[in-house]
Amino acid sequence: MLTKVEEKRRDKLRKSKPIVLDKILKQPDIAAQGKSIAMITLNYEYICNFKCEHCSSDNLMIKTAEDRKKSLERKFLNPESVRDLFDQAHSLGLSHVAISGGEPLSYPDFDQVVEAIGPERFWIAADTNGWFLNDKKAKHLRSIGLDKVQISLDSFIREEHDQFRNKDGAYDRVMRAIDSAKSAGLQVLIMTCVTKQRAWSEEFIQLLEFGKSKDVQIYVTLAKPIGAWAGKLDTVCGDKDIKHLEELNEKYPFSTRFWGEYGNKSGCIAVKRNITITKYGHVMPCPYIQTSIGNIFEERLDTILQRGLDLRHFSYEQKRTCLSGNKDDEFVQKYMPRIWASKEPVPYQLVFDKSDFVTEAKAEKWMP
C-alpha cells in the first residue's frame, strides 16, 4: 500500500513526468517476470572537492598525473554515450537515475549529462556534499529537469561532520543546501553513513529527529569495507547492530537499502533494484560491490543485467540484508576480500565461480 507521501508524489508525476509514472506503474509486472527494475547510479566522473574519510570511490579516483594519462587512453562516459545508455534503459522500463561520483555539482558538463539522460523520461537525482548548492544553483538544477538532491550529512555535530569530510564549513554548507533545495522545489534526501559505533549513538537519534522537524527524508547507508575503508571491518555493522536499526526504524521512518528500500523488505537491492555504472562503463551490482558484471561499451545493458540476476547473490530469491554492509554475512567474509586491493572493478569471473550461479546452465552460459 502506498503512503500518503508517495501518493502525492505520483499525483505530481502525472502532471510533470507522465512517461516516468507510466514506467513506475509497470515495474511490478517487470519484476514479477524476474527482470531488473534498477535505479542507475551513474558515476559519470570522479572529480571531487572533498576527501572524505569513508569515500567508497577512493580506490577509483584519479590522484596522479599518471592516473590522468591512463584515463585519457580509455573509453569513458560522455554525453553521447550517456544518451545511448539511457535509450537502452528507457526501452527496458527503467525509470530512476542518481548522478554520482565524485561530486556531480563540480562536473563542467553536468547540464549536458542531464539533457542526455532525458528529464522527460527519467526521475533524476544527484548526490552531493552540498558545498556548491546555494539558492541560485538549486533553481538552475530544477530548471534543467533535476527532481531531487541527495545531500550527505554524516554527523549532526558540526565539528564531527567537518572532520569526517575533511572540509571546514561542510556542515554549514549542508544546512544551507537543504534550505535552498527545498525552496527551489527539489525533493531533498539526507544521506547518512552509519558505522556500528554510530548506530547506538545519541547523535544519530538527534539527526533522525532533525529530519522529522525539517520534513526531510533520511536515507541510512551502512558503512562498507570498500574504498578508503577497504577491509576495515571494525566500522561495519553486524546482525546485532542491524537489528537495532530495524527497531529504531519503527519509531523513525528512515529509508534504507540494507533490507530492501523504502519499506520494501525484499533483501539486498543489488542488480534487482540498483546498479552502478562507472566512468569507464563497468556495471557494478551496487556502488559498494566493486565487481564488473559487464561493460556498456562492449555489451547491451539487458545482457549485463541478466548476467547479474543469474548470479544467486543478486537474484530475486536472495532475501538477505545488505550483502556488502553486514560483516556477519558470508558475502563480506568470502567475496569482498577478493576486491579490496583493486583500483578497478574486478571482473566477475575473478570474484565468483560456477557455484555462484542460480543453475548449472546459467553457469555454463556465463563461465564456459
Side-chain angles (χ1 to χ4, degrees), residues 270-314:
V271 183
K272 299 186 288 291
R273 292 179 176 270
N274 180 264
I275 56 170
T276 293
I277 299 179
T278 74
K279 174 180 178 177
Y280 304 108
H282 291 293
V283 179
M284 305 189 299
C286 85
Y288 315 108
I289 302 176
Q290 293 178 356
T291 179
S292 176
I293 57 173
N295 191 295
I296 63 165
F297 294 127
E298 299 169 1
E299 297 178 291
R300 301 286 294 178
L301 183 59
D302 58 349
T303 299
I304 297 170
L305 289 174
Q306 188 58 60
R307 179 184 293 122
L309 291 170
D310 286 345
L311 283 158
R312 61 182 174 84
H313 310 285
F314 314 126

Side-chain angles (χ1 to χ4, degrees), residues 99-287:
I99 306 171
S100 191
E103 169 51 45
L105 300 190
S106 69
Y107 300 166
D109 52 354
F110 181 86
D111 290 15
Q112 289 73 31
V113 172
V114 172
E115 192 276 330
I117 291 169
E120 74 287 348
R121 57 184 185 164
F122 286 93
W123 175 265
I124 305 176
D127 294 340
T128 180
N129 56 43
W131 189 264
F132 300 112
L133 190 51
N134 54 24
D135 288 349
K136 181 179 179 181
K137 187 70 169 181
K139 290 176 182 176
H140 173 72
L141 294 175
R142 193 73 188 98
S143 74
I144 64 172
L146 202 74
D147 297 286
K148 181 180 183 181
V149 286
Q150 303 179 158
I151 306 171
S152 296
L153 179 61
D154 292 307
S155 175
F156 197 56
I157 299 170
R158 176 183 283 104
E159 294 76 17
E160 285 188 359
H161 176 77
D162 288 2
Q163 182 178 11
F164 193 76
R165 293 270 161 179
N166 281 297
K167 193 81 166 182
D168 291 342
Y171 179 94
D172 291 334
R173 293 283 185 113
V174 165
M175 293 300 158
R176 181 192 70 178
I178 292 169
D179 291 337
S180 293
K182 291 188 69 176
S183 178
L186 290 163
Q187 186 179 330
V188 178
L189 182 76
I190 294 176
M191 298 183 70
T192 195
C193 176
V194 175
T195 62
K196 71 177 282 82
Q197 295 80 14
R198 190 179 180 219
W200 301 85
S201 72
E202 181 60 31
E203 173 275 320
F204 180 54
I205 299 296
Q206 291 172 356
L207 176 59
L208 296 177
E209 291 281 6
F210 171 73
K212 288 176 64 175
S213 70
K214 294 286 286 186
D215 191 28
V216 171
Q217 186 178 25
I218 304 292
Y219 192 97
V220 172
T221 180
L222 298 176
K224 310 294 195 304
I226 198 68
W229 278 357
K232 197 173 180 181
L233 291 176
D234 58 324
T235 66
V236 180
C237 291
D239 289 337
K240 179 181 177 181
D241 312 302
I242 291 174
K243 180 176 175 53
H244 172 64
L245 290 169
E246 289 178 326
E247 292 169 352
L248 280 180
N249 197 216
E250 297 299 320
K251 182 176 180 180
Y252 302 99
F254 56 82
S255 55
T256 177
R257 292 179 180 180
F258 57 79
W259 54 60
E261 195 167 35
Y262 300 106
N264 177 18
K265 297 189 177 184
S266 58
C268 180
I269 66 172
V271 183
K272 299 186 288 291
R273 292 179 176 270
N274 180 264
I275 56 170
T276 293
I277 299 179
T278 74
K279 174 180 178 177
Y280 304 108
H282 291 293
V283 179
M284 305 189 299
C286 85

Side-chain angles (χ1 to χ4, degrees), residues 53-117:
E53 179 181 320
H54 70 315
C55 180
S56 61
S57 296
D58 181 75
N59 55 314
L60 307 176
M61 293 281 187
I62 295 173
K63 298 180 180 180
T64 67
E66 184 63 24
D67 288 342
R68 171 63 62 183
K69 180 181 177 182
K70 288 181 179 179
S71 74
L72 294 174
E73 295 171 349
R74 307 169 61 181
K75 273 191 174 181
F76 54 87
L77 294 174
N78 57 32
E80 182 179 352
S81 58
V82 168
R83 190 182 309 278
D84 178 66
L85 168 64
F86 283 91
D87 284 347
Q88 294 180 55
H90 178 59
S91 71
L92 296 174
L94 307 186
S95 58
H96 286 61
V97 55
I99 306 171
S100 191
E103 169 51 45
L105 300 190
S106 69
Y107 300 166
D109 52 354
F110 181 86
D111 290 15
Q112 289 73 31
V113 172
V114 172
E115 192 276 330
I117 291 169

